[in-house]
Amino acid sequence: GRYACAQVLMSRRLPFLAGRSLGEVCHIVQVAVSQRRILGYLEGSMVPFGRSVDCIKEQCAVWQQPVSVSKGGQDMRLATWEEARICLWEILSSESCDGLPGAVTLSNVKRLFRARFGLELCETALGYSRFGELLEDPRLHPICRVETQGKVRVIVQVMPKQVPEALAESPLASLLHRLLLLPQGEYRDALRALEDYPGAGAAGCGSRCSSTRSTSPGSACGSDCLGSSPRLASSPRWSPRSSIFAHSAQSHACV
């Protein structure tokens, strides 16, 4: 570490460090690590920056490649951006209580991804060298924000806009609510796809859907529903089997 490195430099009796105290040399080492990028860390040891973890991660982030697979995640698939958004929302929603937004410490996020979803959330595979910077990406702004609470950094759920009362009993409510969480480009594509959805403005699933309010949760509402929308079916970004629509099906069975 920094102190051991300073001790070694002092023992070398280098002329440019003559007259410096051990504390001053420790500060010089810290500046070399944090500001000048001369030194770095690798497996707990001080090394030249070019061999450090930070340098390796920066190079991997450029090519969007994982640095290495962590322990316990050797057979786990890397999370995509879409999966990262959905899983983060699910994690934070499960931590929410009494209408308050959910919050999780940054140090627990990767563990929760592995434990709950069997996915490895790797920042370099998504183009970032630092995990905190990944969570501040604009694509995650509708999902969460990063805050410092005391000495701990946490991600806090961004509560979505309230569903209008006119849609409160509609099977479309959950779907439309989740569309608010999507990036602007994908949000527009999804709305265009929904133009062909039968009875999109009605309280039920539409006149062509055999199951409306009388349909019990978890039951099928027939094949002529959201999945039959021709524009939705042909959309390159959306399909009736996608994760977001499938999640809505658990409670409304209209997907």
Side-chain angles (χ1 to χ4, degrees):
R2 181 182 60 180
Y3 182 76
C5 180
Q7 285 184 314
V8 171
L9 290 174
M10 291 286 288
S11 66
R12 297 289 181 89
R13 301 186 180 279
L14 300 171
F16 56 85
L17 294 178
R20 298 284 186 180
S21 66
L22 181 59
E24 290 175 327
V25 176
C26 282
H27 178 70
I28 292 173
V29 172
Q30 177 62 24
V31 172
V33 173
S34 61
Q35 299 181 22
R36 300 301 179 87
R37 295 161 63 92
I38 298 172
L39 300 174
Y41 292 97
L42 179 65
E43 298 179 354
S45 300
M46 192 77 69
V47 297
F49 182 80
R51 295 174 53 193
S52 68
V53 171
D54 286 344
C55 182
I56 295 172
K57 291 179 72 173
E58 288 178 1
Q59 295 173 359
C60 289
V62 171
W63 297 99
Q64 296 190 0
Q65 295 294 322
V67 175
S68 64
V69 180
S70 60
K71 283 187 176 181
Q74 297 181 356
D75 298 326
M76 292 185 181
R77 185 169 55 84
L78 297 175
T80 63
W81 272 113
E82 179 182 2
E83 291 167 336
R85 292 196 299 266
I86 295 173
C87 293
L88 278 172
W89 178 253
E90 295 296 338
I91 290 172
L92 292 171
S93 295
S94 67
E95 298 294 328
S96 178
C97 181
D98 296 330
L100 298 176
V104 178
T105 59
L106 262 67
S107 58
N108 279 327
V109 173
K110 289 188 176 184
R111 179 185 62 80
L112 291 172
F113 263 74
R114 292 191 289 265
R116 296 190 185 183
F117 309 106
L119 294 172
E120 189 71 28
L121 182 58
C122 179
E123 62 271 23
T124 58
L126 297 176
Y128 284 92
S129 61
R130 297 180 183 275
F131 188 60
E133 294 176 356
L134 167 69
L135 296 175
E136 293 176 340
D137 184 277
R139 281 167 282 196
L140 298 180
H141 285 176
I143 308 289
C144 63
R145 64 181 181 272
V146 180
E147 295 183 358
T148 301
Q149 297 181 359
K151 296 183 178 180
V152 180
R153 297 189 75 194
V154 299
I155 56 171
V156 180
Q157 182 182 24
V158 175
M159 300 302 287
K161 299 176 183 178
Q162 187 174 358
V163 180
E165 293 183 2
L167 292 175
E169 297 182 3
S170 170
L172 283 173
S174 177
L175 174 59
L176 294 175
H177 203 195
R178 287 175 178 274
L179 292 181
L180 296 173
L181 304 176
L182 301 174
Q184 189 174 16
E186 296 183 20
Y187 175 79
R188 290 173 178 172
D189 287 347
L191 289 181
R192 284 195 294 268
L194 285 172
E195 290 178 5
D196 292 326
Y197 177 65
C205 292
S207 58
R208 290 189 292 168
C209 180
S210 59
S211 300
T212 54
R213 297 183 186 179
S214 61
T215 303
S216 60
S219 62
C221 62
S223 59
D224 198 12
C225 190
L226 181 60
S228 63
S229 169
R231 189 173 300 183
L232 183 61
S234 61
S235 174
R237 288 179 177 165
W238 296 95
S239 69
R241 302 296 181 185
S242 67
S243 300
I244 293 178
F245 292 119
H247 184 85
S248 297
Q250 295 177 3
S251 56
H252 296 292
C254 289
V255 178

